[in-house]
Amino acid sequence: AQSVTQLGSHVSVSEGALVLLRCNYSSSVPPYLFWYVQYPNQGLQLLLKYTSAATLVKGINGFEAEFKKSETSFHLTKPSAHMSDAAEYFCAVSDRNSGTYKYIFGTGTRLKVLA
Amino acid sequence: DAGVIQSPRHEVTEMGQEVTLRCKPISGHDYLFWYRQTMMRGLELLIYFNNNVPIDDSGMPEDRFSAKMPNASFSTLKIQPSEPRDSAVYFCASRPGTGVGNTEAFFGQGTRLTVV
């Protein structure tokens, strides 16, 4: 069965510092991978996705993620944190081969940006 | 398109009452998902539909929960009778279809349910 592990339920960074949010997946074949962001009292918004084209994926708001098959990872990064990046971030996986199209989400990482 | 629309945004009900949550997916989307979000369990998939047909309801917690999709533009999630442990934020999401260009789900704003 597929699963997603997000290391660190809370991450704090200073404004202007590098943001690194970790995601590891478990799947028999490389799945589709996603990062979503959730602001308070809002739904989930797609940041970026990996669908087997380029392994380095660029998303909105300056975020990017790199798919590493050897490490079964899809970590999210941003070179310089802004106060507006404070939110909860979810990594998700979807099987591309089984014919099931559901999404399995990680437990989320709450990002705090310090002034 | 206005995106996925859920109603109500907030619902407070007494234990034992019936609760109905509603969702209008994005027009033209073939897949609809219902998720529940709690602090303890995170985001859990309850059920998903393809072309109005339930495909996987293995996440529905118990018989008190039921979901329907009578047409391509409307779905409901019903809890009867409701219990305090059902308190959570319920999200509806939709997806265009299959294929590499249609891989992501679009989420509604959620319904925050409180059962007292």
Side-chain angles (χ1 to χ4, degrees), chain A residues 83-94:
Chain A
M83 298 298 289
S84 60
D85 295 328
E88 189 153 21
Y89 293 80
F90 293 91
C91 183
V93 61
S94 178

Side-chain angles (χ1 to χ4, degrees), chain A residues 9-31:
Chain A
S9 58
H10 291 81
V11 170
S12 293
V13 299
S14 298
E15 192 174 20
L18 171 72
V19 176
L20 171 61
L21 305 182
R22 299 179 186 274
C23 173
N24 288 88
Y25 69 90
S26 172
S27 177
S28 56
V29 295

